Each structure stands twice: as structure tokens, then as C-alpha cells.
Amino acid sequence: MSESVAPKKSSATFIDSKPHYKLLDGLRGVAALLVLWYHVHEGFAFAGSSPVIKGINHGYLAVDFFFILSGFVIGYAYDDRWKTNLTLGNFFKRRLIRLHPMVVLGALLGAVCFFLQGSVQWNGTHIPIQQ
């Protein structure tokens, strides 16, 4: 006699199981753009006097808003999987695989831009690469 074992659900099972809220994606995109805008103009404000930063001087709060929305979206996306076969280790592995390539790419792009512009800070001081 063979026992019947319930097959494990694949990740494709969960793709269409919940409605997708495009509004939340849009709000996260707006928050990310506000953070980017704030950081660019914050750097210009330190290098000189920029009146633009005064208009969005609380732009850093968009980071908090982005993280709150992202936490909700991730929790909403994974809540069904916790009940079946997702472990804490698998969750962190999935997040690392999804996010780490962009972290590495961003660090490399930032380093290349830093070296190409002459290793100069926002305020114009040169940073020696070798000591």
C-alpha cells in the first residue's frame, strides 16, 4: 500500500491567487522618486545654495512611507505561503536572490561614477583613493 502524499505547491500557484494593487506599486514608485529627487538636490544644496531643497525639505519621510508600503506588500504577497511550505530561511533566500543583484549593480555603478568624476565629494574636496 502506498500512502498518498499531497504535492507541494509551486510558486506559480500563488501568482494569480490574490488581486494585485497597482495603486500601491504607484505610491511606492512616487515615494522612491521623491527620495531620489531629495538626495540629488540635497547634494546640490551642500555644494551651493539651492532653493529647490527647501520645497521638499521633508523628502526623507518618503523613505519611511516606502518602507511601510513595501512591508505591507511583502506581507500580503507571502502570507499564504507561510501557511503551506515557506520557512524563514527560504523567505530570506528568496529576498536575497531578488534584491542582491541590484545592490551589487548599484554599488558598482556608484563606484564607477565616483571614479569617473574624479573622486570628488559634493562640496568639491578631493578624496584620495590610495594612501
mmCIF file of all heavy atoms in Angstrom, residues 8-34:
data_model
loop_
_atom_site.group_PDB
_atom_site.id
_atom_site.type_symbol
_atom_site.label_atom_id
_atom_site.label_comp_id
_atom_site.label_asym_id
_atom_site.label_seq_id
_atom_site.Cartn_x
_atom_site.Cartn_y
_atom_site.Cartn_z
ATOM 1 N N LYS A 8 3.563 19.325 -3.187
ATOM 2 C CA LYS A 8 3.876 20.685 -2.745
ATOM 3 C C LYS A 8 3.419 21.671 -3.811
ATOM 4 O O LYS A 8 3.513 21.406 -5.002
ATOM 5 C CB LYS A 8 5.377 20.852 -2.517
ATOM 6 C CG LYS A 8 5.874 20.139 -1.312
ATOM 7 C CD LYS A 8 7.321 20.491 -1.065
ATOM 8 C CE LYS A 8 7.800 19.861 0.224
ATOM 9 N NZ LYS A 8 9.171 20.253 0.524
ATOM 10 N N LYS A 9 2.940 22.788 -3.361
ATOM 11 C CA LYS A 9 2.509 23.824 -4.291
ATOM 12 C C LYS A 9 3.727 24.582 -4.778
ATOM 13 O O LYS A 9 4.601 24.941 -4.010
ATOM 14 C CB LYS A 9 1.547 24.793 -3.612
ATOM 15 C CG LYS A 9 0.234 24.172 -3.239
ATOM 16 C CD LYS A 9 -0.679 25.212 -2.608
ATOM 17 C CE LYS A 9 -1.989 24.594 -2.205
ATOM 18 N NZ LYS A 9 -2.879 25.586 -1.601
ATOM 19 N N SER A 10 3.770 24.820 -6.072
ATOM 20 C CA SER A 10 4.880 25.591 -6.617
ATOM 21 C C SER A 10 4.592 27.073 -6.429
ATOM 22 O O SER A 10 3.477 27.484 -6.109
ATOM 23 C CB SER A 10 5.074 25.276 -8.101
ATOM 24 O OG SER A 10 4.017 25.835 -8.848
ATOM 25 N N SER A 11 5.618 27.891 -6.666
ATOM 26 C CA SER A 11 5.427 29.330 -6.505
ATOM 27 C C SER A 11 4.474 29.866 -7.564
ATOM 28 O O SER A 11 3.861 30.906 -7.377
ATOM 29 C CB SER A 11 6.770 30.054 -6.569
ATOM 30 O OG SER A 11 7.369 29.832 -7.820
ATOM 31 N N ALA A 12 4.330 29.160 -8.690
ATOM 32 C CA ALA A 12 3.408 29.605 -9.733
ATOM 33 C C ALA A 12 1.963 29.500 -9.272
ATOM 34 O O ALA A 12 1.086 30.185 -9.787
ATOM 35 C CB ALA A 12 3.621 28.780 -10.996
ATOM 36 N N THR A 13 1.699 28.664 -8.282
ATOM 37 C CA THR A 13 0.346 28.514 -7.759
ATOM 38 C C THR A 13 -0.150 29.802 -7.139
ATOM 39 O O THR A 13 -1.328 30.112 -7.180
ATOM 40 C CB THR A 13 0.317 27.393 -6.689
ATOM 41 O OG1 THR A 13 0.866 26.219 -7.242
ATOM 42 C CG2 THR A 13 -1.088 27.146 -6.213
ATOM 43 N N PHE A 14 0.739 30.576 -6.584
ATOM 44 C CA PHE A 14 0.357 31.772 -5.842
ATOM 45 C C PHE A 14 0.315 33.033 -6.695
ATOM 46 O O PHE A 14 -0.068 34.076 -6.207
ATOM 47 C CB PHE A 14 1.338 31.993 -4.687
ATOM 48 C CG PHE A 14 1.318 30.881 -3.693
ATOM 49 C CD1 PHE A 14 2.310 29.917 -3.709
ATOM 50 C CD2 PHE A 14 0.309 30.791 -2.758
ATOM 51 C CE1 PHE A 14 2.297 28.888 -2.798
ATOM 52 C CE2 PHE A 14 0.288 29.765 -1.848
ATOM 53 C CZ PHE A 14 1.281 28.804 -1.872
ATOM 54 N N ILE A 15 0.716 32.942 -7.958
ATOM 55 C CA ILE A 15 0.843 34.146 -8.778
ATOM 56 C C ILE A 15 -0.502 34.858 -8.944
ATOM 57 O O ILE A 15 -0.614 36.049 -8.747
ATOM 58 C CB ILE A 15 1.464 33.808 -10.149
ATOM 59 C CG1 ILE A 15 2.917 33.417 -9.951
ATOM 60 C CG2 ILE A 15 1.351 34.979 -11.104
ATOM 61 C CD1 ILE A 15 3.601 32.932 -11.192
ATOM 62 N N ASP A 16 -1.538 34.125 -9.310
ATOM 63 C CA ASP A 16 -2.825 34.752 -9.582
ATOM 64 C C ASP A 16 -3.844 34.522 -8.472
ATOM 65 O O ASP A 16 -5.034 34.712 -8.677
ATOM 66 C CB ASP A 16 -3.384 34.222 -10.905
ATOM 67 C CG ASP A 16 -2.547 34.636 -12.094
ATOM 68 O OD1 ASP A 16 -2.041 35.768 -12.095
ATOM 69 O OD2 ASP A 16 -2.401 33.825 -13.013
ATOM 70 N N SER A 17 -3.388 34.108 -7.320
ATOM 71 C CA SER A 17 -4.332 33.777 -6.268
ATOM 72 C C SER A 17 -4.874 35.001 -5.531
ATOM 73 O O SER A 17 -5.864 34.899 -4.846
ATOM 74 C CB SER A 17 -3.693 32.807 -5.281
ATOM 75 O OG SER A 17 -2.596 33.416 -4.654
ATOM 76 N N LYS A 18 -4.250 36.153 -5.690
ATOM 77 C CA LYS A 18 -4.683 37.372 -4.998
ATOM 78 C C LYS A 18 -4.750 38.518 -5.989
ATOM 79 O O LYS A 18 -4.011 38.552 -6.955
ATOM 80 C CB LYS A 18 -3.682 37.741 -3.912
ATOM 81 C CG LYS A 18 -3.660 36.803 -2.761
ATOM 82 C CD LYS A 18 -2.716 37.361 -1.737
ATOM 83 C CE LYS A 18 -2.772 36.513 -0.498
ATOM 84 N NZ LYS A 18 -1.947 37.076 0.541
ATOM 85 N N PRO A 19 -5.593 39.480 -5.681
ATOM 86 C CA PRO A 19 -5.623 40.665 -6.547
ATOM 87 C C PRO A 19 -4.341 41.483 -6.378
ATOM 88 O O PRO A 19 -3.752 41.513 -5.301
ATOM 89 C CB PRO A 19 -6.849 41.442 -6.069
ATOM 90 C CG PRO A 19 -7.118 40.946 -4.695
ATOM 91 C CD PRO A 19 -6.603 39.537 -4.631
ATOM 92 N N HIS A 20 -3.939 42.112 -7.441
ATOM 93 C CA HIS A 20 -2.737 42.953 -7.430
ATOM 94 C C HIS A 20 -3.179 44.409 -7.328
ATOM 95 O O HIS A 20 -4.015 44.871 -8.091
ATOM 96 C CB HIS A 20 -1.951 42.729 -8.717
ATOM 97 C CG HIS A 20 -0.676 43.494 -8.772
ATOM 98 N ND1 HIS A 20 0.449 43.099 -8.107
ATOM 99 C CD2 HIS A 20 -0.355 44.650 -9.396
ATOM 100 C CE1 HIS A 20 1.409 43.970 -8.322
ATOM 101 N NE2 HIS A 20 0.954 44.919 -9.093
ATOM 102 N N TYR A 21 -2.627 45.129 -6.381
ATOM 103 C CA TYR A 21 -2.986 46.531 -6.174
ATOM 104 C C TYR A 21 -1.972 47.429 -6.863
ATOM 105 O O TYR A 21 -0.897 47.707 -6.322
ATOM 106 C CB TYR A 21 -3.058 46.847 -4.682
ATOM 107 C CG TYR A 21 -4.140 46.080 -3.971
ATOM 108 C CD1 TYR A 21 -3.814 45.117 -3.026
ATOM 109 C CD2 TYR A 21 -5.475 46.316 -4.244
ATOM 110 C CE1 TYR A 21 -4.798 44.410 -2.373
ATOM 111 C CE2 TYR A 21 -6.470 45.617 -3.598
ATOM 112 C CZ TYR A 21 -6.130 44.668 -2.659
ATOM 113 O OH TYR A 21 -7.104 43.968 -2.031
ATOM 114 N N LYS A 22 -2.323 47.870 -8.048
ATOM 115 C CA LYS A 22 -1.414 48.728 -8.810
ATOM 116 C C LYS A 22 -1.226 50.094 -8.145
ATOM 117 O O LYS A 22 -0.190 50.717 -8.296
ATOM 118 C CB LYS A 22 -1.927 48.903 -10.235
ATOM 119 C CG LYS A 22 -1.884 47.617 -11.035
ATOM 120 C CD LYS A 22 -2.347 47.819 -12.443
ATOM 121 C CE LYS A 22 -2.287 46.491 -13.183
ATOM 122 N NZ LYS A 22 -2.703 46.600 -14.559
ATOM 123 N N LEU A 23 -2.223 50.517 -7.393
ATOM 124 C CA LEU A 23 -2.115 51.798 -6.691
ATOM 125 C C LEU A 23 -0.957 51.781 -5.695
ATOM 126 O O LEU A 23 -0.202 52.757 -5.586
ATOM 127 C CB LEU A 23 -3.422 52.116 -5.966
ATOM 128 C CG LEU A 23 -3.423 53.395 -5.135
ATOM 129 C CD1 LEU A 23 -3.265 54.606 -6.043
ATOM 130 C CD2 LEU A 23 -4.692 53.500 -4.328
ATOM 131 N N LEU A 24 -0.778 50.659 -4.996
ATOM 132 C CA LEU A 24 0.328 50.566 -4.035
ATOM 133 C C LEU A 24 1.672 50.596 -4.747
ATOM 134 O O LEU A 24 2.624 51.209 -4.260
ATOM 135 C CB LEU A 24 0.197 49.302 -3.197
ATOM 136 C CG LEU A 24 -1.014 49.242 -2.277
ATOM 137 C CD1 LEU A 24 -1.011 47.932 -1.500
ATOM 138 C CD2 LEU A 24 -1.037 50.422 -1.342
ATOM 139 N N ASP A 25 1.762 49.934 -5.900
ATOM 140 C CA ASP A 25 3.002 49.998 -6.687
ATOM 141 C C ASP A 25 3.276 51.425 -7.140
ATOM 142 O O ASP A 25 4.415 51.892 -7.118
ATOM 143 C CB ASP A 25 2.916 49.074 -7.902
ATOM 144 C CG ASP A 25 2.968 47.615 -7.534
ATOM 145 O OD1 ASP A 25 3.446 47.297 -6.421
ATOM 146 O OD2 ASP A 25 2.537 46.784 -8.354
ATOM 147 N N GLY A 26 2.234 52.124 -7.547
ATOM 148 C CA GLY A 26 2.392 53.512 -7.968
ATOM 149 C C GLY A 26 2.850 54.405 -6.829
ATOM 150 O O GLY A 26 3.721 55.257 -7.005
ATOM 151 N N LEU A 27 2.260 54.208 -5.649
ATOM 152 C CA LEU A 27 2.672 55.002 -4.489
ATOM 153 C C LEU A 27 4.114 54.705 -4.090
ATOM 154 O O LEU A 27 4.860 55.613 -3.709
ATOM 155 C CB LEU A 27 1.740 54.735 -3.310
ATOM 156 C CG LEU A 27 0.336 55.332 -3.420
ATOM 157 C CD1 LEU A 27 -0.547 54.845 -2.279
ATOM 158 C CD2 LEU A 27 0.403 56.846 -3.446
ATOM 159 N N ARG A 28 4.517 53.437 -4.173
ATOM 160 C CA ARG A 28 5.924 53.114 -3.875
ATOM 161 C C ARG A 28 6.845 53.761 -4.892
ATOM 162 O O ARG A 28 7.925 54.242 -4.545
ATOM 163 C CB ARG A 28 6.138 51.601 -3.864
ATOM 164 C CG ARG A 28 5.549 50.942 -2.668
ATOM 165 C CD ARG A 28 5.923 49.509 -2.473
ATOM 166 N NE ARG A 28 6.175 48.751 -3.677
ATOM 167 C CZ ARG A 28 6.738 47.558 -3.689
ATOM 168 N NH1 ARG A 28 7.085 46.984 -2.581
ATOM 169 N NH2 ARG A 28 6.942 46.920 -4.820
ATOM 170 N N GLY A 29 6.431 53.791 -6.161
ATOM 171 C CA GLY A 29 7.241 54.443 -7.196
ATOM 172 C C GLY A 29 7.380 55.936 -6.953
ATOM 173 O O GLY A 29 8.463 56.500 -7.089
ATOM 174 N N VAL A 30 6.280 56.579 -6.573
ATOM 175 C CA VAL A 30 6.324 58.014 -6.275
ATOM 176 C C VAL A 30 7.239 58.275 -5.078
ATOM 177 O O VAL A 30 8.052 59.212 -5.087
ATOM 178 C CB VAL A 30 4.902 58.559 -6.013
ATOM 179 C CG1 VAL A 30 4.946 59.953 -5.425
ATOM 180 C CG2 VAL A 30 4.102 58.556 -7.306
ATOM 181 N N ALA A 31 7.130 57.433 -4.049
ATOM 182 C CA ALA A 31 7.986 57.608 -2.869
ATOM 183 C C ALA A 31 9.452 57.431 -3.244
ATOM 184 O O ALA A 31 10.309 58.190 -2.788
ATOM 185 C CB ALA A 31 7.588 56.618 -1.776
ATOM 186 N N ALA A 32 9.754 56.430 -4.076
ATOM 187 C CA ALA A 32 11.145 56.211 -4.496
ATOM 188 C C ALA A 32 11.665 57.402 -5.296
ATOM 189 O O ALA A 32 12.814 57.833 -5.111
ATOM 190 C CB ALA A 32 11.240 54.929 -5.319
ATOM 191 N N LEU A 33 10.850 57.960 -6.170
ATOM 192 C CA LEU A 33 11.277 59.128 -6.942
ATOM 193 C C LEU A 33 11.474 60.355 -6.052
ATOM 194 O O LEU A 33 12.390 61.146 -6.281
ATOM 195 C CB LEU A 33 10.266 59.430 -8.042
ATOM 196 C CG LEU A 33 10.247 58.428 -9.190
ATOM 197 C CD1 LEU A 33 9.107 58.745 -10.156
ATOM 198 C CD2 LEU A 33 11.579 58.408 -9.923
ATOM 199 N N LEU A 34 10.624 60.512 -5.043
ATOM 200 C CA LEU A 34 10.805 61.624 -4.108
ATOM 201 C C LEU A 34 12.119 61.501 -3.335
ATOM 202 O O LEU A 34 12.808 62.504 -3.104
ATOM 203 C CB LEU A 34 9.637 61.698 -3.127
ATOM 204 C CG LEU A 34 8.369 62.359 -3.644
ATOM 205 C CD1 LEU A 34 7.235 62.184 -2.636
ATOM 206 C CD2 LEU A 34 8.611 63.822 -3.926
#
